[in-house]
Amino acid sequence: MSDKHPVTALLQAWRVGEESALEQLTPLVYEELRKRAGYLFSGESAGHTLQPTALVNELYGRLVDVEVDWQDRAHFYALCSRIMRHILVDHAKAGRATKRGGNMLIVSLDETGIVENASEAQHRQTETEDLISLDQALQQLATLDKRKAELVEMQVFGGLSFREMGVVTGLSESTLDRDLRFARAWLRSRLATPSV
C-alpha cells in the first residue's frame, strides 16, 4: 500500500472484496466525513434533529450497498457529497411534512460554498435559500449543465477543495472557478425568482 494515499489503496482493496480493507478504511475516513458534515451544521442550534454524526452514520449505511469502482480518495468524497445531499434533502422534506418550514438548514451560495448558520444567514437573505429550494434549483441546473450542478454539489455538500474537484473532473482550477461562479450566479437568480 502507498504511504502517500492509504485511503485510495484501501478503497481499491475494498472494491476487490478485501473485508479487512473496510475495517482499516473506516477510521481513516470517518473523522474526515464527520468534519465535512460538520461544516453543513456549523452554528445550527443544538436541537437540530439531524447532527453530523447521524448524517455520517446514515451515509455509511448507504455506502455499504453501493457498487462503485472506487478510483481514489477524491472520487470517494465526491460520491459522499451526492449521498449527503440526498440524505439532507430527504430529512428536510420529512421535517417540512412534519412542521412546515421547521428545523431546516439554511444554505449559502457564497464563494466558499459552505453552509452558514441561520443567524449569519439572516444578514444575507438575498444569498440564502432553504435546502429543498436549492435542491430543486440544482436539479434544474443539471438539466442545462450537469457538470456545473455536480461541481456545486461537491463543493456545498461535500466540502471538496478545488484540487479534489480537479482530480474528480480533470478540470483546471480556472475552469472550476469559472464554472462555479456561473453556477452560483445562475442559482441565485433562480432562487430569487418566486415559484409559480
Side-chain angles (χ1 to χ4, degrees):
M1 259 183 248
S2 167
D3 291 336
K4 206 170 187 183
H5 302 289
V7 170
T8 298
L10 289 168
L11 284 167
Q12 292 169 349
W14 181 28
R15 178 187 68 199
V16 296
E18 281 186 38
E19 291 299 318
S20 65
L22 179 58
E23 292 171 22
Q24 294 172 50
L25 179 66
T26 299
L28 291 176
V29 298
Y30 186 85
E31 196 52 41
E32 176 67 19
L33 287 170
R34 194 179 174 300
K35 181 176 127 189
R36 289 173 189 236
Y39 290 133
L40 294 170
F41 292 91
S42 62
E44 284 294 311
S45 67
H48 199 278
T49 59
L50 187 65
Q51 296 296 316
T53 300
L55 175 60
V56 173
N57 289 340
E58 188 166 341
L59 170 66
Y60 262 85
R62 293 188 188 191
L63 279 173
V64 171
D65 298 328
V66 173
E67 292 291 325
V68 175
D69 184 13
W70 302 111
Q71 295 176 28
D72 56 34
R73 178 181 172 275
H75 285 88
F76 172 76
Y77 288 121
L79 174 65
C80 290
S81 311
R82 177 162 294 135
I83 295 172
M84 283 196 282
R85 171 185 172 192
H86 291 295
I87 292 168
L88 289 169
V89 170
D90 291 347
H91 183 75
K93 286 178 179 176
R96 182 178 271 181
T98 303
K99 181 181 176 185
R100 183 113 178 116
N103 223 12
M104 285 190 281
L105 288 173
I106 304 295
V107 296
S108 172
L109 297 172
D110 68 356
E111 294 281 326
T112 64
I114 302 300
V115 177
E116 298 178 3
N117 67 49
S119 63
E120 291 168 347
Q122 289 172 354
H123 299 292
R124 297 175 59 159
Q125 283 296 317
T126 59
E127 295 185 26
T128 61
E129 206 51 53
D130 71 66
L131 185 59
I132 294 171
S133 297
L134 175 60
D135 182 64
Q136 291 167 346
L138 276 171
Q139 289 175 31
Q140 293 169 352
L141 177 59
T143 63
L144 300 172
D145 192 326
K146 186 177 178 181
R147 181 176 87 190
K148 288 180 178 68
E150 288 174 348
L151 291 174
V152 170
E153 180 180 71
M154 283 186 265
Q155 189 178 53
V156 171
F157 293 94
L160 270 70
S161 66
F162 272 40
R163 186 188 59 74
E164 291 170 319
M165 287 187 285
V167 169
V168 172
T169 63
L171 298 173
S172 70
E173 191 168 316
S174 61
T175 300
L176 290 168
D177 184 55
R178 185 176 53 249
D179 282 1
L180 283 166
R181 285 179 187 274
F182 175 88
R184 283 191 300 268
W186 188 92
L187 288 167
R188 281 188 190 109
S189 169
R190 186 69 186 155
L191 292 169
T193 306
S195 302
V196 178

